[in-house]
Amino acid sequence: MIKKDYCVIGLGRFGTEVALQLHKLNKNVMVMDIDKTLVQKAAKIYELAVVCDASDINSLAESGVANVSTIIVAVSNIESSIMICANLRELGHKDIVAKAINNVHKRVLKTMGIPRVVIPEIEIADRVAFQSIFNVGVDITSIGADFSWVKSIVNNKLILNKTLAELNIRKKFNITIMMIQRLGRVIFPPTNETKFEMGDVVTFMCHDNQIATALKFFVRDSKNNE
């Protein structure tokens, strides 16, 4: 069997959308659900679509999931989600991304050793809120342990033409600048002498509780700073 890049377990709205996005990015995707009708529909798109009760460890082991690098558990039912994640851990899988429906569910999955847990509604709400406040596109991707990748435009005139060393961003905000995109080229990794220019797109990593503070540093609030 050809090794798949990803397996999406659960073909509800979230799982279906994740699988489609991966497929559009030309990733090898395996999809799985207990609902035969959903799997039959998915089989028209994906090379490997499997009917499986992933909460049963024997069925999961026989599904071919061992041939997958990253597994995304997109199941909404808390009990099923926990059982599936426990089964995956018992089968030796480490690269697991799981959907949680609330913070309690997230904490349970994290204590089980699931490295990446996302609550889609909260992440979408955060993104919409930041976009509304700063009037720019902001991409936020959870990477687990309450840390996220954040991608945003730079349009704060106060930080332009100053080196990263002068701005002392890491010490002030405890964030790490990963790369800067400028006019079609990528500055990676940026150095202490790197300077921001208007319209740069910066990607940084920070603790979730620092996102708003960091964005205020990079982005001019058009509603309050005309």
Side-chain angles (χ1 to χ4, degrees):
M1 182 181 294
I2 299 175
K3 190 174 183 66
K4 298 297 177 184
D5 295 322
Y6 298 89
C7 174
V8 177
I9 301 177
L11 292 173
R13 182 184 300 178
F14 175 73
T16 297
E17 185 62 29
V18 170
L20 282 173
Q21 291 302 321
L22 291 170
H23 182 67
K24 289 178 181 178
L25 292 170
N26 297 317
K27 302 299 182 181
N28 293 315
V29 184
M30 170 184 179
V31 296
M32 182 186 304
D33 198 281
I34 196 172
D35 189 317
K36 183 178 180 180
T37 300
L38 292 176
V39 173
Q40 288 177 335
K41 183 178 180 180
K44 299 177 182 179
I45 302 173
Y46 307 99
E47 182 181 351
L48 189 57
V50 179
V51 178
C52 176
D53 178 4
S55 64
D56 179 272
I57 192 168
N58 293 321
S59 298
L60 186 60
E62 295 171 359
S63 69
V65 76
N67 297 289
V68 177
S69 299
T70 301
I71 301 173
I72 299 164
V73 181
V75 177
S76 296
N77 181 276
I78 294 179
E79 182 178 357
S80 296
S81 168
I82 292 171
M83 291 180 66
I84 292 168
C85 288
N87 289 341
L88 289 170
R89 292 288 292 167
E90 187 169 342
L91 292 172
H93 290 282
K94 296 181 179 180
D95 194 1
I96 303 169
V97 182
K99 169 190 173 182
I101 65 169
N102 54 42
N103 284 320
V104 174
H105 186 193
K106 179 178 180 178
R107 284 199 299 272
V108 171
L109 294 175
K110 296 294 285 185
T111 59
M112 292 170 58
I114 305 304
R116 289 179 285 174
V117 182
V118 298
I119 305 177
E121 292 80 3
I122 291 179
E123 294 202 3
I124 292 172
D126 286 346
R127 186 174 302 180
V128 171
F130 289 132
Q131 288 176 347
S132 299
I133 292 170
F134 298 105
N135 197 31
V136 296
V138 177
D139 289 331
I140 304 171
T141 304
S142 173
I143 55 176
D146 297 322
F147 280 83
S148 295
W149 296 109
V150 182
K151 183 176 180 180
S152 174
I153 196 170
V154 176
N155 66 7
N156 182 0
K157 294 180 181 179
L158 298 177
I159 69 171
L160 301 182
N161 298 315
K162 295 181 180 180
T163 67
L164 293 184
E166 291 174 317
L167 293 171
N168 203 13
I169 295 172
R170 181 189 289 273
K171 185 174 181 179
K172 286 181 179 177
F173 305 107
N174 194 27
I175 68 175
T176 301
I177 306 296
M178 305 306 298
M179 70 175 181
I180 299 169
Q181 294 167 271
R182 178 180 299 158
L183 299 176
R185 66 186 182 94
V186 175
I187 301 173
F188 176 83
T191 69
N192 285 334
E193 299 305 312
T194 300
K195 297 180 180 181
F196 287 113
E197 295 183 6
M198 183 66 78
D200 282 351
V201 177
V202 59
T203 299
F204 59 91
M205 182 181 74
C206 72
H207 194 279
D208 290 344
N209 62 18
Q210 285 292 102
I211 294 176
T213 301
L215 285 173
K216 288 179 182 178
F217 181 77
F218 292 113
V219 183
R220 179 175 60 92
D221 184 345
S222 62
K223 296 180 180 179
N224 299 317
N225 296 285
E226 296 295 343

